[in-house]
Amino acid sequence: MRRTPRAGGRPTTITSLATYVPPRLLTNADLEKMVDTDDEWILRRVGIRERHIADPGVGSSDLAKEAAMRALGKAGITADEVGVIVVGTVTPDMMFPSTACLVQTKIGASRAWGFDLGAACSGFSYALTTAAQMVSAGGSRHALVIGADVMSSIIDYTDRTTCVLFGDGAGAVVVEASDDDGIGILDFENFVDGSGGNALCMPAGGSLRPASRETVDHRLHYVKQDGATVFKFAVRNTEEAARRILDRNGIKPCEIDLFVSHQANRRIILSATERLGIPQDKVVINIERFGNTTAGTIPLALNDAVEQKRLKEGDLLLLASVGAGFTVGTVLMRWGLKK
């Protein structure tokens, strides 16, 4: 876990935000025709009505490219001004080259270097704090941070416990040094608990279990989840990580203007925020329209908050995420996009 990105460096901030989701929808009514489930159960258990699904042949780099180009346009910079690209994803187009390499050439960021960061649903939070450190230290003037996943590519649509949960989407932000010491990323709290790795994983496809007839026959190239274990860990650690970062900065939960959590389950978000004492009108929940897009959820939720005018310059914003690994990431910041 770790502290303020300002120690010994420049303050950093998000200067632009953009998202992209593929146009095709998979509704609960569609899923009712595919597996033994129904709309009422899905809404009650997780809070999802529909999710966006990429067409065959569309990879995470394609979604990332669309979000990235929009973010660059909003920031008023060109692709060749980007110094580093950090992509949070668990669904890279391929094992290698990295999605960051593919995005770099697709957007024409000829002077950028970059890499993928695998932190599952904490992918955006981890990528954001990593890029902020680079900008703060002077290693890059403009960092492009992307969270992008095509979860439909690793979902078993015969498994009703997982196929109702996930959708595809991407979000991108540009991170720069802040001109205003009162605006930007104030602190972060990231940590992992690897003992919970088996509770949410894709068992095959890596060096331990490379693709074989056996792994394919046993459907091991799809997401496997122990839902009860994940739920309990997510609620407890969303609350505890949020409290640690707030206590460290002398901030009470009631002083948060907006709380944006990873969108895995409506009940997880509401349970964690109820424990924290953050009122529901300060919580963003948009899982109903997108499902769990893994590294894409936080930027998608942030974008909704901006478009709905729920987030204004100077607002105190708390981001929180829990993902497979287990990974936990929180970011505390004062909001302010480039005008």
Side-chain angles (χ1 to χ4, degrees):
M1 48 183 101
R2 204 20 313 172
R3 332 249 123 182
T4 171
R6 295 192 176 189
R10 304 173 296 175
T12 59
T13 190
I14 291 173
T15 56
S16 75
L17 163 69
T19 62
Y20 177 78
V21 291
R24 183 160 63 101
L25 288 176
L26 180 67
T27 67
N28 290 350
D30 295 326
L31 285 167
E32 288 177 354
K33 302 171 185 176
M34 299 165 61
V35 293
D36 182 16
T37 191
D38 62 74
D39 177 68
E40 188 276 332
W41 185 90
I42 298 170
L43 275 173
R44 175 168 48 84
R45 297 293 295 178
V46 292
I48 303 170
R49 287 188 185 276
E50 61 188 22
R51 62 290 286 151
H52 292 255
I53 301 295
D55 288 331
V58 174
S60 292
S61 70
D62 296 308
L63 306 190
K65 171 200 169 186
E66 296 297 330
M69 292 300 294
R70 295 176 184 186
L72 294 178
K74 290 182 177 181
I77 64 173
T78 60
D80 61 9
E81 293 180 83
V82 175
V84 62
I85 302 169
V86 186
V87 180
T89 187
V90 291
T91 55
D93 289 24
M94 59 200 75
M95 290 292 287
F96 60 89
S98 70
T99 308
C101 288
L102 302 178
V103 172
Q104 186 256 10
T105 193
K106 286 183 177 183
I107 68 174
S110 58
R111 299 180 182 179
W113 67 287
F115 56 92
D116 290 359
L117 192 155
C121 297
S122 298
F124 180 79
S125 301
Y126 278 30
L128 176 61
T129 52
T130 299
Q133 292 289 287
M134 295 181 189
V135 173
S136 179
S140 176
R141 183 180 177 190
H142 303 290
L144 179 61
V145 176
I146 304 170
D149 276 297
V150 178
M151 291 303 296
S152 61
S153 66
I154 57 171
I155 296 302
D156 183 353
Y157 285 96
T158 68
D159 177 6
R160 69 173 184 168
T161 64
T162 57
C163 73
V164 303
L165 303 176
F166 295 94
D168 303 336
V173 298
V174 173
V175 176
E176 303 178 38
S178 178
D179 296 329
D180 182 346
D181 194 57
I183 296 294
I185 297 172
L186 305 175
D187 201 356
F188 67 90
E189 172 90 0
N190 298 341
F191 68 93
V192 301
D193 180 357
S195 66
N198 288 335
L200 180 54
C201 64
M202 188 176 77
S207 59
L208 180 63
R209 291 178 176 171
S212 67
R213 179 178 295 277
E214 180 184 8
T215 63
V216 172
D217 287 347
H218 286 87
R219 309 184 78 79
L220 299 181
H221 296 268
Y222 296 118
V223 171
K224 307 295 182 183
Q225 175 174 263
D226 176 349
T229 298
V230 173
F231 185 96
K232 292 175 184 177
F233 184 92
V235 172
R236 183 178 72 253
N237 284 278
T238 297
E239 177 200 0
E240 291 179 359
R243 286 195 184 279
R244 281 196 295 272
I245 196 171
L246 293 177
D247 289 347
R248 189 161 67 229
N249 288 274
I251 296 170
K252 298 176 182 178
C254 63
E255 296 178 89
I256 293 296
D257 293 303
L258 201 68
F259 179 81
V260 178
S261 174
H262 165 59
Q263 307 285 306
N265 185 312
R266 181 182 178 88
R267 292 187 301 134
I268 290 175
I269 300 169
L270 292 178
S271 295
T273 51
E274 182 179 354
R275 292 185 181 198
L276 282 166
I278 297 176
Q280 194 169 340
D281 63 353
K282 293 185 177 182
V283 179
V284 178
I285 301 179
N286 68 350
I287 190 173
E288 177 180 284
R289 295 167 39 233
F290 299 108
N292 182 351
T293 57
T294 304
T297 67
I298 287 180
L300 283 166
L302 270 176
N303 190 66
D304 274 3
V306 171
E307 291 187 346
Q308 294 165 9
K309 302 189 185 309
R310 297 182 64 187
L311 192 56
K312 63 183 185 299
E313 184 169 358
D315 277 355
L316 192 58
L317 173 67
L318 181 61
L319 311 180
S321 57
V322 174
F326 288 117
T327 60
V328 180
T330 57
V331 182
L332 181 67
M333 63 186 302
R334 287 278 180 190
W335 186 252
L337 294 176
K338 182 180 288 186
K339 294 189 173 57

